[in-house]
Amino acid sequence: MRDTAAGAPEPRPSLGRRQVHAVAGCYFVASFAALGLPPFLTEILPELGDRDASWAGVLYIVPTVFAAVGAPLWGRLADRFGRKRLLLRAQLGLAVSFLLAGWAESLPAFTVALVLQGILGGTYAASNGYLGAALEGPELSRALTLMQGAARAALVLAPIVVGGLSPWISPHRQYALLAVLPLTAALLITALPESRGDRPAARTPSGSPPPAAPTYPAASPLPAAAPAGPGAQAAPAGLAVGAAPADPVPRSPARGAGTTSLRGLYALEFAFVLSTVISFPYLISLIEERIPGTSPAVSGILFALPHLCYLATAMWVHSAFHRRPRLGLGLGFACIALGLAGHGPAHSLATLVAVRLLLGAGLTLGLVCLAVMASDCAKGRAPGGLFGSIEFFSKAGAVVAGLAAAAGNGLYGPTAPVLTGTAVALVTVCATVLPATKLRSLRTRWSR
């Protein structure tokens, strides 16, 4: 340990590639059950007394609702008591809730377990808060892109594995079996270094705090993307500066006038999740309506195509758009609007593949560019509270999407959710692109 009496602070532990991949791997295994088992609620609930699985739609969003409520609180607690501790808490909380769900013998007990899953979980926000305390700029946005890749991989693989195990272990009991995954993740997390702010402030021999605020070396960059240039952290034009809450650990110089506003980021996160998730619940019904006789395997592949597109191209998209995330986000919402609108007239397998890939392009552009904007907002802010708030708006968008999809499907059939998502994406394109266009017009006039 360095001599703190001389005023030299202990440096921040930077995260290397293996450690960042370990955090993403822990999130992948922890989200495996959370993402893989809900599609089987229609098989689980009859075992618990709900013969028609009439509560499946409500219980599907219960963990999401309570995760949205708890995420900001857990984020603030992480900034106060330590991000690694709260990340460990999230993994253990998931394990406990999965065990209770697997052992539940009645519908009320199972519902309580799902509520606890939402309240005690929050592994995504906790993981991002941990990464945000150790990484900055392009390194952080690449790490956030990797985290989304872990979520997409779990979303694609988990239902396949759960379905494959179903002949031997019912999906209900698989909750208890898969609790071993977050427990394993918790053990791996104990080997990770403490993130910045998790350690008590160093003190001089006299017991007084060190005289100067610590300055930290840059975190080691991640591979798999082009190295950041001098302008890699340039902020998108056309967004106002958001007021930064006090951060107990200063991170960087004050943000300039071009950085992303928090309100803008939250609104974009909400609109993005709403416009994409709204097409998920009734996609299989839409496919069966458009192409009768489609096998479940083909329907599953069509469902997974946008997520596979993300896994294949996310890092390339990050290299191409990390200096211009606003442009990438505008293109992403345009692709989402076109892809969702294309589901309406699609009546062949080739057409459905094309529109699903177009939706995948929008999904990838949106997730990557939102990660870049989030890393920009993280400069000078407490990362736990920031990513907890982002998670709140993300979960809120998912809940509204689920409710809107159910209402639209009940009134107008499975085409209604994709058309609603198209409208939301188009409105967001206008809100994203027009301010930047007006700003360029004003600059042109003043230059004359």
Side-chain angles (χ1 to χ4, degrees), residues 115-139:
V115 170
L116 290 176
Q117 177 187 326
I119 294 175
L120 299 180
T123 52
Y124 187 70
S127 299
N128 288 349
Y130 176 82
L131 294 171
L135 303 174
E136 197 170 30
E139 289 79 20

Side-chain angles (χ1 to χ4, degrees), residues 159-233:
I160 297 174
V161 173
V162 172
L165 291 175
S166 294
W168 295 276
I169 305 175
S170 71
H172 177 206
R173 301 306 178 188
Q174 284 188 48
Y175 266 105
L177 175 64
L178 295 180
V180 72
L181 296 179
L183 285 175
T184 303
L187 290 175
L188 294 175
I189 289 169
T190 59
L192 293 174
E194 300 285 345
S195 94
R196 185 185 60 166
D198 286 357
R199 298 177 177 178
R203 292 189 173 272
T204 62
S206 62
S208 59
T215 55
Y216 298 108
S220 57
L222 293 172
Q233 298 181 26

Side-chain angles (χ1 to χ4, degrees), residues 239-250:
L239 289 174
V241 182
D247 190 340
V249 185

Side-chain angles (χ1 to χ4, degrees), residues 109 120 229 299 309 376 396 438:
L120 299 180
S299 297
C309 182
D376 178 60
K438 290 180 180 179

Side-chain angles (χ1 to χ4, degrees), residues 140-422:
L140 176 57
S141 61
R142 276 197 292 272
L144 298 179
T145 300
L146 182 64
M147 289 291 295
Q148 281 289 351
R152 304 298 129 185
L155 190 61
V156 171
L157 295 176
I160 297 174
V161 173
V162 172
L165 291 175
S166 294
W168 295 276
I169 305 175
S170 71
H172 177 206
R173 301 306 178 188
Q174 284 188 48
Y175 266 105
L177 175 64
L178 295 180
V180 72
L181 296 179
L183 285 175
T184 303
L187 290 175
L188 294 175
I189 289 169
T190 59
L192 293 174
E194 300 285 345
S195 94
R196 185 185 60 166
D198 286 357
R199 298 177 177 178
R203 292 189 173 272
T204 62
S206 62
S208 59
T215 55
Y216 298 108
S220 57
L222 293 172
Q233 298 181 26
L239 289 174
V241 182
D247 190 340
V249 185
R251 298 193 55 182
S252 61
R255 292 181 295 280
T259 50
T260 306
S261 71
L262 282 181
R263 290 182 179 179
L265 177 63
Y266 296 156
L268 290 170
E269 181 75 25
F270 178 89
F272 176 81
V273 174
L274 173 58
S275 61
T276 52
V277 172
I278 196 171
S279 67
F280 292 175
Y282 299 99
L283 177 66
I284 304 302
S285 300
L286 180 63
I287 294 172
E288 292 175 352
E289 180 183 281
R290 292 288 185 267
I291 313 175
T294 304
S295 68
V298 172
S299 297
I301 292 172
L302 288 172
F303 180 89
L305 272 180
H307 311 294
L308 294 173
C309 182
Y310 181 92
L311 293 173
T313 63
M315 286 302 178
W316 178 85
V317 170
H318 182 277
S319 300
F321 288 97
H322 74 274
R323 299 183 185 180
R324 41 191 177 181
R326 193 177 189 84
L327 171 63
L329 190 60
L331 291 174
F333 274 108
C335 289
I336 291 169
L338 292 173
L340 290 176
H343 284 68
H347 285 84
S348 68
L349 182 60
T351 308
L352 278 174
V353 168
V355 297
R356 295 299 290 169
L357 288 175
L358 185 57
L359 179 62
L363 183 80
T364 305
L365 283 163
L367 288 172
V368 170
C369 292
L370 283 171
V372 174
M373 291 182 173
S375 68
D376 178 60
C377 281
K379 298 174 186 176
R381 291 189 171 101
L386 171 66
F387 288 108
S389 297
I390 292 175
E391 184 73 354
F392 169 82
F393 285 95
S394 175
K395 298 297 186 186
V399 171
V400 173
L403 297 175
N409 180 77
L411 293 173
Y412 304 107
T415 306
V418 294
L419 294 181
T420 303
T422 300

